[in-house]
Amino acid sequence: MAQVKHTYDTYAPPDIEFVRGEGARLFDNEGRDYLDCAAGIAVNSLGYAHPHLVETLKGQADGIWHLSNLYPIPAQKRLAERLCAATFADRVFFTNSGAEAMECAIKTARRYHYSNDAPERVKILTFEGAFHGRTLATIAAGGQEKYLEGFGEKTPGFISLPFGDEKALKAAVDGETAAILLEPIQGEGGIREFSGQFLRDLRELCDQEGILLIFDEVQTGIGRTGKLFAHQWFDVEPDIMASAKGLGGGFPVGACLAREEVAAPMVVGTHGSTFGGNPLAMAIGNAVLDVVLEDGFLDTVNAMATLFKQNLAEMVDTYPELLEDVRGNGLLMGMKAKVPNTDLIAAMREHGLLVAGAGDNVVRLVPPLIVNEEDVREVRNRMIAALNEVKNNLTQE
Ligand SMILES: *Cc1c(COP(=O)(O)O)cnc(C)c1O
């Protein structure tokens, strides 16, 4: 077969061809099955071929796929209503991705101050290890050199502070500060959690200083941690929040949520999106919420998370030469590795278990929220097989 490649080399995928998915499993063209604890990186919240999503998509195929936001979109109004009913928010702007939801969050924060006679308030304070997307503004917000290198001047207005450092934060706040931005749990950064106390302190600081609190819940939201949004575990609400990933269950849907007063300056003409919030995307977003908001769904997520956590803790105990700790909340989990995380990821894949990497040399597990006990057991078996192999290779060296 001719090997002419026409896509960018921005990814280096292994040589596997997935042809089918069902529940938490993927199947390749040789009939092998894989337990998928990467889930499109926390996107396939309801796994593969979920009957309600499939039915919704098929139903919408005969309807209107796309309408410009120049016309009313009833399913958009409904999804916004439901997201607001379940959160701090009063208003929603829909996007196609997490980075776009973040762009909207940043614009909303700045525009709020601009409309409140403080146009100088443009600076956004962030924490090292953050990840907010790959657009020019969101790589500046993330502040990670590896994503900024070679793309010209860093978009101004973002200040990256040491992780969880309240002193540095207080010193950095001044009359030009618009907002503090963070993921309640850093996903790409290595499943690093901010404490509830830290989040509450942030809220207090923001209230004192008249600055806005923005949560990036693109990865942590839509049931991932066992609450609809991770910050709901704590007694803290943001002013603005970005969501995406799990919200579309595999269809590109993002959302920026905000309080009424904060969203009010985003009037006609200040922002827009051609595709964001179109009827097809909204039908699927609503279908995901149908399932995630169902009575008992998140209870099961929490029960599965407890089983997972026990298993992962057992791995750390059994393989101290390979693993250092377990972290995360709900089904957003990580194990810090002592060998290159890429070695563990490859070994697990070879044993039919898909996991993702994350910063800080972490192996990240973000299975579909519909995993069941049997899946969790099978993940454990395959993980043990993979870790045994890596351990044996270590001792042979
Ligand atoms: C994935 C992610 C993004 C970016 O989302 P895209 O859909 O890839 O643009 C932003 N923030 C966080 C926390 C993420 O995990």
XYZ file of all heavy atoms in Angstrom, residues 11 41-43 96-102 130-135 138 183 185-188 216-220 242 244-245 253 364, ligand 1:
263
model
N 0.233 14.596 15.537
C -0.012 13.449 16.413
C 0.790 12.272 15.892
O 1.094 12.198 14.703
C -1.504 13.082 16.438
C -2.360 14.083 17.192
C -2.976 15.129 16.523
C -2.533 13.978 18.566
C -3.755 16.062 17.213
C -3.303 14.894 19.258
C -3.919 15.936 18.581
O -4.670 16.835 19.269
N -10.299 11.130 25.103
C -9.859 12.064 26.158
C -11.064 12.753 26.785
O -11.354 13.924 26.560
C -8.776 13.052 25.679
C -7.657 12.293 24.945
C -8.231 13.769 26.923
C -6.294 12.915 25.016
N -11.747 11.977 27.574
C -12.855 12.474 28.419
C -14.015 13.042 27.602
O -14.774 13.877 28.085
C -12.337 13.509 29.419
N -14.139 12.574 26.362
C -15.190 13.088 25.478
C -16.377 12.122 25.387
O -17.528 12.539 25.478
C -14.619 13.360 24.066
C -15.727 13.540 23.044
C -13.714 14.587 24.100
N -18.094 25.058 19.488
C -17.823 23.718 18.953
C -16.709 23.004 19.683
O -16.395 21.859 19.368
C -17.401 23.822 17.483
C -18.328 24.713 16.722
O -19.477 24.362 16.492
N -17.849 25.892 16.356
N -16.038 23.702 20.592
C -14.860 23.105 21.223
C -14.594 23.766 22.557
O -15.172 24.821 22.881
C -13.635 23.296 20.325
O -13.307 24.673 20.259
N -13.676 23.161 23.303
C -13.291 23.711 24.588
C -12.542 25.024 24.456
O -12.784 25.970 25.214
N -11.622 25.075 23.500
C -10.837 26.300 23.327
C -11.746 27.482 22.990
O -11.557 28.591 23.488
C -9.789 26.102 22.235
N -12.752 27.224 22.158
C -13.686 28.311 21.820
C -14.534 28.718 23.019
O -14.892 29.891 23.166
C -14.616 27.866 20.699
C -13.975 27.810 19.342
C -14.927 27.122 18.375
O -15.022 25.880 18.450
O -15.581 27.820 17.591
N -14.881 27.752 23.855
C -15.634 28.089 25.068
C -14.759 28.962 25.964
O -15.227 29.925 26.573
C -16.067 26.821 25.799
N -13.455 28.636 26.026
C -12.516 29.435 26.813
C -12.339 30.831 26.230
O -12.249 31.813 26.961
C -11.150 28.730 26.869
C -11.008 27.695 27.971
S -11.509 28.324 29.586
C -10.622 29.869 29.634
N -1.522 24.637 33.799
C -2.868 24.784 33.238
C -2.906 24.391 31.767
O -1.895 24.446 31.065
C -3.325 26.230 33.383
N -4.070 23.984 31.326
C -4.300 23.762 29.897
C -5.688 24.280 29.553
O -6.670 23.878 30.175
C -4.208 22.277 29.531
C -4.406 22.044 28.062
C -3.353 22.202 27.166
C -5.652 21.706 27.561
C -3.533 22.018 25.800
C -5.842 21.517 26.189
C -4.783 21.670 25.313
N -5.745 25.173 28.564
C -7.038 25.765 28.209
C -7.345 25.679 26.721
O -8.342 26.257 26.280
C -7.092 27.215 28.689
C -6.928 27.347 30.176
N -7.831 26.818 31.069
C -5.940 27.910 30.927
C -7.417 27.071 32.313
N -6.278 27.717 32.248
N -6.499 24.991 25.945
C -6.767 24.852 24.519
C -5.560 25.253 23.690
O -4.491 25.547 24.234
N -5.728 25.247 22.356
C -4.594 25.455 21.445
C -4.732 26.679 20.555
O -3.976 26.817 19.589
C -4.421 24.218 20.575
C -4.103 22.954 21.354
C -2.786 23.042 22.114
N -2.325 21.698 22.413
C -1.249 21.138 21.850
N -0.517 21.812 21.008
N -0.912 19.907 22.157
N -5.723 27.529 20.801
C -5.775 28.787 20.040
C -4.700 29.710 20.593
O -4.113 29.457 21.651
C -7.140 29.473 20.195
O -7.325 29.803 21.578
C -8.280 28.579 19.722
N -5.588 30.874 24.075
C -5.634 29.834 25.122
C -4.251 29.204 25.376
O -4.010 28.726 26.481
C -6.689 28.745 24.822
O -6.451 28.188 23.524
C -8.096 29.310 24.879
N -8.606 25.376 36.186
C -9.356 24.126 36.174
C -9.419 23.662 37.630
O -8.369 23.571 38.262
C -8.609 23.060 35.365
C -8.252 23.435 33.943
C -6.930 22.779 33.509
O -6.930 21.576 33.207
O -5.897 23.469 33.477
N -9.581 20.816 38.754
C -8.549 19.777 38.734
C -7.845 19.910 37.383
O -8.495 19.822 36.339
C -9.146 18.356 38.829
C -9.996 18.213 40.091
C -8.041 17.301 38.803
C -10.804 16.919 40.137
N -6.532 20.133 37.402
C -5.813 20.234 36.131
C -5.792 18.860 35.462
O -5.326 17.888 36.059
C -4.378 20.712 36.359
C -4.303 22.175 36.779
C -2.866 22.684 36.845
O -1.914 21.894 36.841
N -2.721 23.994 36.891
N -6.311 18.795 34.240
C -6.385 17.522 33.516
C -5.088 17.211 32.794
O -4.311 16.349 33.222
N -4.822 17.959 31.718
C -3.600 17.733 30.937
C -2.360 17.898 31.810
O -1.337 17.272 31.573
C -3.513 18.739 29.777
C -4.707 18.782 28.850
C -4.854 17.507 28.050
O -3.841 16.974 27.570
O -6.007 17.055 27.924
N -12.419 26.560 34.245
C -12.378 25.780 33.011
C -12.757 24.355 33.401
O -11.941 23.618 33.953
C -10.979 25.843 32.391
C -10.877 25.002 31.126
O -11.799 24.189 30.873
O -9.881 25.146 30.398
N -14.007 23.999 33.138
C -14.490 22.641 33.443
C -14.704 21.844 32.161
O -15.586 20.987 32.067
C -15.776 22.712 34.288
C -15.529 23.232 35.699
C -16.031 22.269 36.783
O -16.086 21.056 36.529
O -16.371 22.783 37.872
N -13.877 22.147 31.161
C -13.981 21.440 29.883
C -13.765 19.940 30.080
O -14.471 19.113 29.506
C -12.977 22.026 28.863
C -12.850 21.120 27.637
C -13.407 23.434 28.448
N -12.798 19.601 30.947
C -12.510 18.178 31.179
C -13.198 17.642 32.436
O -13.594 16.482 32.498
C -10.987 17.974 31.291
C -10.575 16.535 31.377
C -9.137 16.280 30.943
O -8.605 15.213 31.151
N -8.495 17.228 30.313
N -13.352 18.495 33.447
C -13.859 18.048 34.750
C -15.387 17.994 34.815
O -15.937 17.451 35.763
C -13.360 18.996 35.861
O -13.644 20.349 35.470
C -11.877 18.853 36.091
N -16.295 27.386 31.459
C -16.236 26.759 30.138
C -16.525 25.271 30.284
O -16.048 24.625 31.219
C -14.859 26.965 29.518
N -17.143 21.578 27.655
C -17.078 21.001 26.291
C -16.902 19.496 26.476
O -17.675 18.892 27.214
C -15.949 21.606 25.461
N -15.887 18.917 25.830
C -15.586 17.484 25.919
C -16.826 16.606 26.121
O -17.507 16.301 25.156
C -14.506 17.236 26.986
C -13.140 17.788 26.546
C -11.956 17.078 27.174
C -10.673 17.367 26.418
N -9.859 18.453 26.983
N -19.375 19.833 20.859
C -20.221 20.836 21.513
C -19.444 21.447 22.665
O -18.870 20.724 23.473
C -21.513 20.226 22.113
C -22.441 21.331 22.612
C -22.243 19.342 21.121
N -3.212 8.740 32.791
C -4.540 9.298 33.066
C -5.631 8.313 32.656
O -5.592 7.752 31.573
C -4.689 10.602 32.271
C -6.038 11.249 32.368
C -6.074 12.655 31.774
N -5.179 12.891 30.644
C -5.319 13.891 29.778
N -6.324 14.741 29.911
N -4.462 14.053 28.788
C -9.347 19.698 26.261
C -9.364 20.937 27.068
C -9.508 22.201 26.475
C -9.536 22.401 24.987
O -10.636 21.800 24.393
P -10.661 21.610 22.796
O -12.014 21.061 22.550
O -9.545 20.691 22.455
O -10.453 22.958 22.205
C -9.580 23.301 27.305
N -9.518 23.167 28.640
C -9.379 21.980 29.236
C -9.345 21.900 30.728
C -9.285 20.821 28.485
O -9.119 19.638 29.087
